[in-house]
Amino acid sequence: MLRRYLPILTWLPHYNRRLATADVLAGVIVTIMVIPQSLAYAVLAGLPAVVGLYASLLPAIAYALLGTSRTLAVGPVAIIALMTGAALSGVAAPGSAEYLHAALILSLLSGVILLLMGLLRMGFVANFLSHPVIAGFLTASGVLIAASQVGHLAGLDLAARDLLPRLAELITALPGLHLPTLAIGLGTLAFLLLLRQQGRPALRRLGLSRPLADLLTRSGPVFAVLVTATVTWQFTLNERGVAVIGDIPQGLPALSLPGFDAGLWQALLIPALLISVVGFVESVSMGQMLAARRRERISPNQELVALGSANLAAGFSAGMPVTGGLTRTVINHDAGAQTPLAGLFTALGIGAVTLFLTPALAYLPIATLAATITVSILTLIDIPMIRQTWRYSRSDFSAMAVTILLTLVEGVEAGIISGVVLSIGLFLYRTSRPHSALVGRIPDTEHFRNVERHTTETVSHVALLRIDESLYFANARYLEDTVYDLVATRPELEHVVLICSAVNLIDASALESLDAINARLRDSRVTLHLAEVKGPVMDRLKRSDFLDDMTGRVFLSTFAAWRELSRPAE
């Protein structure tokens, strides 16, 4: 029981010097790599840059103790930062004390929601977000994030947060471009894009090993921070209008508990729920992918507990909502992390930076962070997935398109809610009209196939109807109509066999429909039979009176029904 709720107990007794060396090295590498991102994502959320560092401390330690993934790295991420900024801007003015206070409440609410979901074993909730909806939401969010950074890249003070008003404001503000800021922003952007596309093969051609080439390629934001901060300090560009991070408080965050304002907590409840679900989906997807590479497994329910605890820790330590980040997790994995203690060593490294090195970040241009954010969100924009969904399923594409459109026009909350609702609606529509097929016997075999697709043997007085969907309230009446139409068009019919090989559930509404079908067929002098009923479904049918009242039999296989019923009546 302890190992179930404290996964650290499964690997800590076997911890040794080799694992510690690998984890310490990974922690150092991740510390260096994620500092620019942590600062950038706090700025993206409209919070002081130091909040990004705070959110990388206690949350990472909490996850190390409770998480089941050995390589997942927890901290601020782009999509959650965007959702955080959208949620907070509706309740407080960016930069105000109330805004920061609301961020702490949002973290606490997210933590409580995730923790409750974990204790109630609700990891399945993530299944309600279909992949096309997630891809559409992330793509639209990537566009929103890129648009939100245009002002920082160009040195323009843009107030609008929504996409269309922001673009309109950008057009009117173009004459006020700040050329030094634009040079830093576009220069950093070009450097990071070039390094991402050409850095690895170029370094390999210089004779560097693949791991070292990968490490240096991912170090692009670190180099950009060092160079632009040094140039800004050397030439006092901050005095010439280049916006910089400014003084960052030294020291660790003070532990505190946000005050209770019922109205504010209620206003942030739905945004916290959405942040929790989206963050969990992103985190568990990443964790499962990397666990599969190492032939390990993670527990989605325990991940909910771990992420909930991480967000509670963020709320108590002046942080912001966190989850498992794609970039920092990949860096952690590639750096050789062996256990969750790598995250603890990363937290210690960032803590050291927060204690001693924040003055060195004072001259870091905001434009550099904007370029870092813009490049990092390129992985969110999934054009190939959009094209594939369009070719494969127009209904799924419609859910994706609505999600993209509403996210861009109405914001992240409207986009994700509409996508989920539309996905569930499409599912209900599809399953409310279950596919069924009359099947016949493939000559000289025991196999049965759709009579419209194959050459089959049939007999006029037996109808073998295969049902290709579970039966529940949404499609029960449709099944009745299908059977009644079949009987009405075949006056010679004596037996109807419902083949249930694809039926995993028959709920109470469907059972009532089966009773009605049985009674209607009895009145028409047609016998109803079932075939290939699965064990769990049969167990539930046995708890009802249906089997006693059914006019026919339950056959183990379709062939058995065919062999018995296709004989001429004596």
Side-chain angles (χ1 to χ4, degrees):
M1 183 63 70
L2 282 176
R3 289 182 177 181
R4 175 178 172 182
Y5 292 105
L6 289 174
I8 189 174
L9 297 178
T10 62
W11 51 264
L12 189 59
H14 311 290
Y15 204 67
N16 54 40
R17 181 176 298 179
R18 179 185 62 82
L19 296 176
T21 301
D23 285 344
V24 169
L25 178 60
V28 171
I29 293 173
V30 175
T31 296
I32 297 171
M33 300 294 192
V34 304
I35 286 175
Q37 283 191 346
S38 299
L39 298 170
Y41 294 150
V43 173
L44 174 61
L47 295 163
V50 72
V51 172
L53 298 180
Y54 293 162
S56 302
L57 297 175
L58 287 186
I61 296 174
Y63 183 84
L65 297 175
L66 298 171
T68 58
S69 171
R70 299 200 177 195
T71 53
L72 192 71
V74 170
V77 299
I79 185 63
I80 300 303
L82 174 68
M83 297 178 72
T84 297
L88 299 182
S89 62
V91 298
S96 65
E98 291 77 12
Y99 193 91
L100 181 57
H101 180 71
L104 303 184
I105 294 175
L106 190 62
S107 298
L108 286 178
L109 279 173
S110 298
V112 170
I113 291 171
L114 287 166
L115 198 58
L116 288 176
M117 289 173 63
L119 295 176
L120 295 175
R121 307 187 67 77
M122 295 177 63
F124 65 88
V125 169
N127 298 330
F128 288 107
L129 286 172
S130 68
H131 192 67
V133 165
I134 295 173
F137 174 68
L138 293 179
T139 297
S141 297
V143 173
L144 288 178
I145 292 171
S148 72
Q149 300 307 301
V150 171
H152 296 314
L153 288 170
L156 300 174
D157 187 13
L158 304 180
R161 295 190 65 89
D162 295 332
L163 180 63
L164 296 181
R166 193 174 189 86
L167 293 178
E169 187 181 8
L170 173 64
I171 293 173
T172 60
L174 282 177
L177 283 174
H178 189 257
L179 294 181
T181 300
L182 184 64
I184 292 174
L186 293 184
T188 303
L189 192 63
F191 166 72
L192 293 176
L193 288 174
L194 184 63
L195 189 64
R196 171 174 287 200
Q197 296 174 0
Q198 304 296 330
R200 186 175 290 104
L203 292 172
R204 290 284 289 158
R205 286 194 295 270
L206 292 176
L208 275 66
S209 65
R210 183 183 298 275
L212 184 56
D214 290 344
L215 179 62
L216 291 177
T217 300
R218 292 197 175 97
S219 301
V222 178
F223 296 140
V225 165
L226 293 175
V227 171
T228 56
T230 302
V231 169
T232 302
W233 169 70
Q234 185 68 31
F235 295 98
T236 60
L237 296 181
N238 57 308
E239 298 179 3
R240 304 180 188 183
V242 173
V244 296
I245 289 292
D247 293 332
I248 297 178
Q250 280 185 276
L252 300 176
L255 298 180
S256 61
L257 181 64
F260 182 76
D261 180 341
L264 183 57
W265 284 67
Q266 184 176 357
L268 293 174
L269 181 59
I270 297 301
L273 175 62
L274 297 177
I275 286 173
S276 300
V277 174
V278 172
F280 170 64
V281 170
E282 180 176 355
S283 179
V284 79
S285 300
M286 194 67 198
Q288 287 176 334
M289 180 185 71
L290 294 180
R293 291 183 184 179
R294 296 188 175 190
R295 298 190 178 185
E296 299 169 352
R297 63 179 300 274
I298 67 172
S299 167
N301 291 314
Q302 181 60 28
E303 286 297 292
L304 283 168
V305 173
L307 292 173
S309 301
N311 278 278
L312 287 177
F316 292 135
S317 57
M320 57 185 286
V322 298
T323 193
L326 172 63
T327 303
R328 63 173 64 208
T329 297
V330 170
I331 294 173
N332 193 43
H333 177 272
D334 292 348
Q338 297 298 310
T339 74
L341 277 187
L344 185 146
F345 293 132
T346 298
L348 293 177
I350 293 177
V353 171
T354 307
L355 281 171
F356 306 112
L357 299 180
T358 51
L361 300 172
Y363 288 93
L364 176 59
I366 299 292
T368 300
L369 297 181
T372 301
I373 293 173
T374 303
V375 173
S376 70
I377 56 92
L378 293 179
T379 55
L380 300 180
I381 301 176
D382 196 349
I383 302 301
M385 180 62 185
I386 295 176
R387 289 199 300 263
Q388 176 177 299
T389 305
W390 166 259
R391 293 194 301 265
Y392 185 76
S393 172
R394 297 301 167 85
S395 59
D396 283 333
F397 178 80
S398 67
M400 174 186 283
V402 169
T403 302
I404 292 175
L405 182 63
L406 287 180
T407 301
L408 293 177
V409 176
E410 297 294 334
V412 291
E413 292 182 17
I416 194 66
I417 291 175
S418 64
V420 172
V421 170
L422 189 54
S423 293
I424 295 175
L426 287 172
F427 168 78
L428 291 175
Y429 175 76
R430 289 171 184 156
T431 57
S432 69
R433 303 172 62 84
H435 179 266
S436 60
L438 280 172
V439 301
R441 181 191 180 202
I442 301 295
D444 301 321
T445 72
E446 296 183 8
H447 300 290
F448 292 79
R449 294 293 184 270
N450 191 332
V451 297
E452 296 181 1
R453 294 176 178 269
H454 301 270
T455 302
T456 62
E457 297 177 354
T458 60
V459 290
S460 60
H461 66 283
V462 178
L464 304 174
L465 183 65
R466 190 186 69 221
I467 309 299
D468 295 334
E469 186 66 66
S470 292
L471 302 177
Y472 71 116
F473 65 90
N475 60 26
R477 298 293 180 265
Y478 187 81
L479 175 64
E480 290 185 44
D481 294 339
T482 301
V483 174
Y484 297 158
D485 288 344
L486 176 63
V487 174
T489 57
R490 297 180 60 174
E492 72 281 7
L493 202 60
E494 298 177 4
H495 301 279
V496 171
V497 181
L498 298 183
I499 304 172
C500 302
S501 54
V503 176
N504 298 312
L505 168 72
I506 298 177
D507 74 357
S509 297
L511 181 64
E512 181 182 350
S513 291
L514 288 177
D515 280 325
I517 291 171
N518 184 59
R520 182 79 170 267
L521 294 186
R522 180 191 295 114
D523 295 340
S524 302
R525 293 185 175 84
V526 177
T527 306
L528 175 66
H529 308 271
L530 302 180
E532 301 188 27
V533 181
K534 294 184 176 180
V537 177
M538 179 61 77
D539 291 340
R540 298 190 67 176
L541 289 177
K542 288 178 179 178
R543 294 200 293 267
S544 71
D545 297 328
F546 172 73
L547 295 178
D548 296 330
D549 297 335
M550 191 173 68
T551 56
R553 297 168 48 189
V554 178
F555 291 96
L556 185 63
S557 67
T558 305
F559 180 71
W562 163 269
R563 186 174 53 190
E564 179 72 22
L565 302 177
S566 62
R567 301 170 183 169
E570 296 180 359

